[in-house]
Amino acid sequence: MTFRFHPAMRLARFLASHCRGKALLAVALAATPVAWAHNVWLEPDAAGGYLVQFGGHAGQRESFDAAKLKSVQAFDRRGRPIDVAVVPVAGGVRVQPARQAALLAAHFDNGIFSRVDDGPMLEKPMDQQPGATSGVHALKYHKSIIQWGVVAKRPLGQPFEVVPLAHETPHAGQPLRVQVLLDGKPAEGIRLSWGEQGTPVTTAADGTATVTPVAGPNQLTAIRRAPVEGDARFTSLSYEYLLAFPAH
């Protein structure tokens, strides 16, 4: 199920201690985000809930307008939706699935930024910034696999999505095939990387690529940039994705 949020949020840092899967996920999501892109992710706390985090540049987490968080979804291992409660906490919001979730997903709209020539990016559409020569609409998507199962390889229908082509926990050092979908269709030429580590790979014509996870937590990121014509607000669309999962 999907829930929309409006209360204010801030950065927080917790580790899950009551579930091995969530403990691994906590380590994965607390790891330094990629420096060249902003990402959104869900970070588990010690009581079974999650806090939304946003950041990336130079490993820094950033505060953000809560209205930018458009949805959070939770599913069990069979892909059945789980209700999610959103509980305000001091300076933020805690997301609590009604029962143990096997997979969580989030959608974050970071807004429209524009600039004049090589000047600084300002958070406003081009048609609201006199002389603007370029603009970008930045959209972020996230998926956390807590427990591997059928749901892990089932597309959720996110506009931009990374889907593992396996349902069992991957083994460290062994190849894992994934597929990138754009509006539900295979996306060719999408860059995938382990954050700042390793050499990026690019998806083939069928949207697939092979990556090699490490033992424990993994963060696989995907980026797509595309020009946009005929929109007075921006000249390009940016998709960024972060897939978090454990391997053994």
Side-chain angles (χ1 to χ4, degrees):
M1 301 183 72
T2 301
F3 293 79
R4 301 184 182 279
F5 312 109
H6 298 287
M9 292 186 176
R10 70 175 182 184
L11 303 178
R13 199 167 191 177
F14 296 92
L15 292 177
S17 60
H18 65 289
C19 172
R20 180 178 181 274
K22 287 190 71 176
L24 282 175
L25 183 64
V27 176
L29 299 182
T32 301
V34 292
W36 37 262
H38 278 79
N39 290 282
V40 63
W41 68 99
L42 298 173
E43 187 168 300
D45 65 18
Y50 299 83
L51 287 165
V52 177
Q53 304 290 346
F54 174 71
H57 288 300
Q60 298 298 312
R61 303 180 186 205
E62 301 179 12
S63 60
F64 59 89
D65 182 349
K68 291 185 175 184
L69 181 65
K70 299 305 180 182
S71 67
V72 171
Q73 299 170 286
F75 302 90
D76 66 14
R77 295 184 67 183
R78 296 184 180 180
R80 295 173 297 195
I82 297 174
D83 288 342
V84 178
V86 179
V87 181
V89 296
V93 170
R94 181 172 178 270
V95 178
Q96 176 69 65
R99 53 193 172 89
Q100 176 65 50
L103 185 145
L104 295 163
H107 168 211
F108 188 95
D109 186 338
N110 198 34
I112 300 173
F113 294 77
S114 62
R115 69 197 305 177
V116 177
D117 297 326
D118 294 328
M121 278 285 192
L122 300 180
E123 190 173 358
K124 59 176 61 179
M126 293 176 63
D127 56 2
Q128 295 180 21
Q129 182 175 186
T133 54
S134 63
V136 59
H137 187 188
L139 300 171
K140 322 290 181 180
Y141 295 94
H142 170 64
K143 186 186 297 180
S144 294
I145 298 173
I146 304 167
Q147 298 177 352
W148 284 83
V150 174
V151 68
K153 67 174 186 178
R154 181 179 297 170
L156 301 180
Q158 294 170 303
F160 184 59
E161 184 172 7
V162 179
V163 182
L165 298 181
H167 68 278
E168 297 180 347
T169 305
H171 292 273
Q174 298 297 314
L176 171 66
R177 294 183 69 238
V178 299
Q179 185 177 43
V180 177
L181 302 176
L182 180 64
D183 295 327
K185 299 179 180 179
E188 181 180 7
I190 302 299
R191 169 190 166 128
L192 297 168
S193 64
W194 298 113
E196 297 176 302
Q197 306 300 316
T199 303
V201 297
T202 302
T203 57
D206 62 356
T208 64
T210 299
V211 297
T212 305
V214 298
N218 290 264
Q219 284 188 332
L220 183 65
T221 61
I223 294 180
R224 179 181 186 268
R225 306 279 193 263
V228 173
E229 296 182 357
D231 196 313
R233 301 170 300 164
F234 51 88
T235 55
S236 65
L237 184 63
S238 168
Y239 282 125
E240 293 175 0
Y241 201 98
L242 191 155
L243 172 66
F245 64 88
H248 59 209

